[in-house]
């Protein structure tokens, strides 16, 4: 065992071997024995702490998104094993918080939430559970002493822009000429930082600027909701109880394990609990935020280097491919079967080209900067139906959706990045054709399709990817072009199905 421990240090090995022999032979004096004993204790302690450190290094290599995620080691200060006792304590504390604060992928199979008669009762139960998991009682009670239910948060949760607005209106609202120009200025102002980040993580400057712009308008609007209040409200309210209860635990681990740099007052953000300029959820902050300027802090509220480096580290860890685009706008042939326009259908570039898919200008479908690379796989999506723009999206589009699951959001990020880089506007955006879907109609669509066996998820008034797939199945069975789009004609037809 000694050789395994000190294989890189012969002096320690010889000394400890001599100690073992001397103790057995009883040839050393008591004082000398004491010196050797203390030395052995020190190095043994160092070894076992180092072993715990090594185990923690393995445990923070989290697999998310079906095993495609890799956590970059230097985000956890493990470029080389730390030698100070202080740093080893930090490492061990990280091991502890990672057992309390889970990644969203690790909580999806948890049981249904227990019912409580009031928010006060729920909060008392949550506090007890947090302390049982290992959080400091002082931190839990201090942080949550003024937490209260916010009705406005519940209302906002019912009408998220990504689902309430049509694709066309969402894009027009999210991406303006002014925002494109600000993004171009931000690239110039932060050129040195962005070059360094690109070398390290492989994420383009335009993508990072687009995310920054959409999340907080480049830091101008980060939200003024109390993070603890919003998370507690959404955890109690119940639509996504397990998710938000875990995020509240993660927020408490931030306060418990990094109280010198993070305070309750500092933890403000959106109505959904997202914090700082990149709008990270607490779990995202704990696992992916990183120190971009070497000052020993991870300040996503004020420090631009930390904001951009943390965003890049997040995408890189999820599996960002350096040389692939997020996607491109395309035009489809007249005989294109829209049922295959969904993320679950992937074909190579060559296969899509053979089906008649072309660039918007009518030219042959090719990717810039990747050679011919006809083997690159992608999916066709139609966020505004057959009457709207079509996109061929690749692996990195799926990575953006790990940041935000909305199709509209992911397209907006890629499109804004393209515009900041000097790309052209989208074609076929028609707000008269692509209208907002009311909550009433969304609920009706889900209810009718559920009664017919097409829709099997929660009826929540948010027409996302599962609702679109249910629409697509219904359209196919009825002989309608199956683009999954909730058009006026589809809404009228479903109303008659209900009668």
């Amino acid at each position: 065992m000694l050789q395994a421990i000190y294989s890189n240090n012969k002096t320690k090995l010889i000394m400890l071997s001599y100690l073992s022999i001397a103790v057995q032979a009883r040839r050393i004096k008591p004082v000398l024995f004491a010196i050797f004993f203390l030395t052995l204790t020190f190095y043994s302690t160092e070894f076992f702490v180092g072993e715990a450190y090594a185990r923690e290094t393995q445990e923070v290599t989290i697999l998310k998104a079906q095993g495609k995620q890799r956590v970059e080691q230097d985000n956890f200060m493990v470029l080389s094993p730390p030698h100070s006792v202080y740093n080893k304590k930090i490492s061990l504390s990280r091991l502890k918080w990672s057992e309390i604060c889970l990644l969203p992928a690790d909580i999806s199979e948890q049981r249904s939430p227990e019912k409580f008669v009031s928010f006060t009762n729920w909060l008392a139960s949550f506090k007890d559970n947090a302390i049982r998991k290992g959080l400091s009682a002082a931190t839990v009670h201090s942080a949550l002493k003024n937490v209260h239910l916010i009705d406005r948060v519940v209302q906002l949760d019912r009408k998220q822009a990504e689902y309430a607005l049509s694709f066309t209106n969402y894009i027009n609202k999210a991406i303006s000429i002014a925002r494109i120009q600000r993004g171009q200025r931000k690239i110039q102002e932060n050129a040195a930082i962005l070059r360094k980040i690109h070398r390290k993580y492989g994420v383009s400057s335009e993508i990072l600027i687009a995310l920054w712009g959409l999340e907080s308008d480049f830091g101008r609007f980060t939200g003024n909701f109390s993070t603890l209040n919003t998370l507690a409200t959404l955890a109690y309210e119940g639509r996504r109880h397990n998710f938000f209860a875990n995020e509240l635990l993660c927020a408490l681990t931030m306060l418990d394990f990094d109280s010198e740099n993070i305070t309750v007052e500092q933890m403000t953000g959106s109505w959904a609990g997202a914090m700082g300029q990149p709008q990270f959820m607490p779990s995202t902050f704990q696992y992916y935020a990183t120190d971009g300027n070497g000052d020993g802090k991870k300040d996503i509220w004020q420090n631009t280097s930390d904001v951009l480096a943390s965003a890049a580290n997040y995408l890189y860890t999820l599996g960002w491919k350096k040389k692939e685009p997020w996607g491109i706008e395309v035009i489809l042939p007249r005989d294109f079967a829209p049922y295959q326009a969904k993320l679950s259908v992937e074909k190579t570039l060559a296969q899509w080209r053979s089906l008649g898919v072309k660039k918007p200008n009518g030219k042959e479908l090719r990717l810039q900067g990747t050679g011919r690379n006809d083997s690159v796989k992608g999916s066709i999506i139609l966020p505004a139906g057959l009457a709207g723009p079509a996109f061929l999206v690749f692996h990195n589009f799926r990575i953006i959706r790990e940041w935000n699951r909305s199709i509209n959001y992911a397209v907006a990020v890629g499109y804004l990045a393209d515009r900041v880089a000097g790309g052209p506007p989208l074609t076929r955006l028609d707000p008269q054709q692509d209208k907002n879907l009311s909550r009433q109609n969304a609920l009706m669509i889900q209810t009718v399709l559920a009664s017919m066996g097409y829709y099997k998820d929660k009826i929540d008034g948010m027409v996302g990817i599962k609702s679109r797939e249910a629409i697509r199945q219904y359209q196919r069975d009825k002989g309608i072009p199956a683009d999954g789009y909730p058009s006026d004609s589809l809404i009228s037809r479903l109303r008659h199905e209900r009668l």
Side-chain angles (χ1 to χ4, degrees), residues 231-293:
L231 294 175
T233 295
L234 292 168
Y236 169 73
E237 182 266 341
R239 191 176 69 86
R240 298 177 67 194
H241 166 86
N242 291 334
F243 173 80
F244 287 108
N246 177 69
E247 292 301 333
L248 185 53
L249 286 172
C250 293
L252 292 173
T253 65
M254 292 170 62
L255 295 168
D256 206 17
F257 292 98
D258 197 13
S259 58
E260 293 181 3
N261 296 319
I262 300 171
T263 66
V264 171
E265 293 73 25
Q266 183 184 12
M267 292 178 70
T268 59
S270 76
W271 62 265
M275 307 177 301
Q277 296 188 34
Q279 293 287 275
F280 274 6
M281 296 300 291
S283 62
T284 307
F285 178 91
Q286 285 291 71
Y287 283 94
Y288 305 113
T290 191
D291 176 9
N293 64 347

Side-chain angles (χ1 to χ4, degrees), residues 93 96-97 99-101 126-140 249 252-253 256-257:
S93 71
K96 187 175 181 180
W97 69 244
E99 295 172 348
I100 301 169
C101 170
F126 178 87
K127 288 179 181 178
D128 291 342
N129 183 51
I131 295 168
R132 282 198 304 270
K133 286 179 176 291
L135 287 166
S136 158
T139 297
V140 171
L249 286 172
L252 292 173
T253 65
D256 206 17
F257 292 98

Side-chain angles (χ1 to χ4, degrees), residues 90-390:
I90 290 177
S91 178
L92 290 172
S93 71
R94 282 203 175 96
L95 176 58
K96 187 175 181 180
W97 69 244
S98 67
E99 295 172 348
I100 301 169
C101 170
L102 306 179
L103 286 165
D106 297 326
I107 64 171
S108 57
E109 299 302 322
Q110 288 186 2
R111 62 181 178 81
S112 299
E114 183 181 348
K115 299 297 183 182
F116 292 91
V117 296
S118 70
F119 177 76
T120 301
N121 287 345
W122 172 84
L123 186 60
S125 175
F126 178 87
K127 288 179 181 178
D128 291 342
N129 183 51
I131 295 168
R132 282 198 304 270
K133 286 179 176 291
L135 287 166
S136 158
T139 297
V140 171
H141 289 299
S142 174
L144 300 180
K145 65 182 178 181
N146 294 319
V147 163
H148 57 276
L149 196 69
I150 305 176
D151 291 333
R152 176 64 175 157
V153 167
V154 178
Q155 295 170 7
L156 290 169
D157 185 48
R158 292 288 184 262
K159 53 178 182 179
Q160 296 182 44
E162 287 88 350
Y163 300 97
L165 295 177
S166 69
F167 172 77
T168 299
N169 289 334
Y170 181 84
I171 291 294
N172 287 338
K173 183 177 179 179
I175 302 173
S176 63
I177 296 299
R179 178 164 287 175
I180 293 168
Q181 293 173 343
R182 279 199 300 273
Q184 292 168 337
R185 288 196 298 270
K186 290 296 180 182
I187 284 185
Q188 295 175 352
E189 293 168 5
N190 298 283
I193 296 171
L194 290 166
R195 281 196 299 270
K196 178 182 176 182
I197 289 173
H198 183 260
R199 285 195 299 269
K200 184 172 183 178
Y201 299 106
V203 183
S204 73
S205 300
E206 291 80 11
I207 286 290
L208 293 176
I209 291 298
L211 284 165
W212 191 19
L214 287 178
E215 290 294 348
S216 64
D217 199 21
F218 312 107
R220 295 172 68 189
F221 305 108
T222 58
N224 57 8
F225 284 90
S226 160
T227 298
L228 297 178
N229 278 336
T230 59
L231 294 175
T233 295
L234 292 168
Y236 169 73
E237 182 266 341
R239 191 176 69 86
R240 298 177 67 194
H241 166 86
N242 291 334
F243 173 80
F244 287 108
N246 177 69
E247 292 301 333
L248 185 53
L249 286 172
C250 293
L252 292 173
T253 65
M254 292 170 62
L255 295 168
D256 206 17
F257 292 98
D258 197 13
S259 58
E260 293 181 3
N261 296 319
I262 300 171
T263 66
V264 171
E265 293 73 25
Q266 183 184 12
M267 292 178 70
T268 59
S270 76
W271 62 265
M275 307 177 301
Q277 296 188 34
Q279 293 287 275
F280 274 6
M281 296 300 291
S283 62
T284 307
F285 178 91
Q286 285 291 71
Y287 283 94
Y288 305 113
T290 191
D291 176 9
N293 64 347
D295 65 355
K297 300 179 181 180
K298 295 181 286 188
D299 182 3
I300 62 170
W301 290 270
Q302 301 293 334
N303 190 297
T304 299
S305 294
D306 290 359
V307 169
L308 296 173
S310 295
N313 183 47
Y314 187 21
L315 295 176
Y316 167 83
T317 303
L318 292 174
W320 188 267
K321 291 186 178 180
K322 182 177 181 179
K323 294 184 179 181
E324 270 192 24
W326 69 273
I328 54 175
E329 187 183 6
V330 295
I331 55 174
L332 306 175
R334 291 183 179 276
D335 60 350
F336 183 82
Y339 188 75
Q340 61 187 324
K342 52 185 176 180
L343 289 174
S344 59
V345 175
E346 283 190 285
K347 299 180 186 293
T348 66
L349 201 68
Q351 288 172 325
W352 287 121
R353 190 167 56 241
S354 69
L355 292 174
V357 178
K358 297 181 179 181
K359 290 184 176 182
N361 58 10
K363 292 185 177 180
E364 189 178 62
L365 188 62
R366 302 285 181 188
L367 294 182
Q368 294 181 348
T370 58
R372 289 185 64 86
N373 218 351
D374 287 349
S375 62
V376 174
K377 286 189 174 183
S379 303
I380 299 290
I381 59 171
L382 300 168
L386 276 170

Side-chain angles (χ1 to χ4, degrees), residues 56-75:
E56 184 268 345
T57 300
Q58 286 186 325
E59 290 197 18
V60 298
T61 306
I62 304 298
L63 294 179
K64 183 182 175 187
Q66 285 119 19
K68 296 179 181 178
Q69 177 178 343
R70 56 192 189 280
V71 175
E72 187 188 27
Q73 285 188 321
D74 64 351
N75 186 39

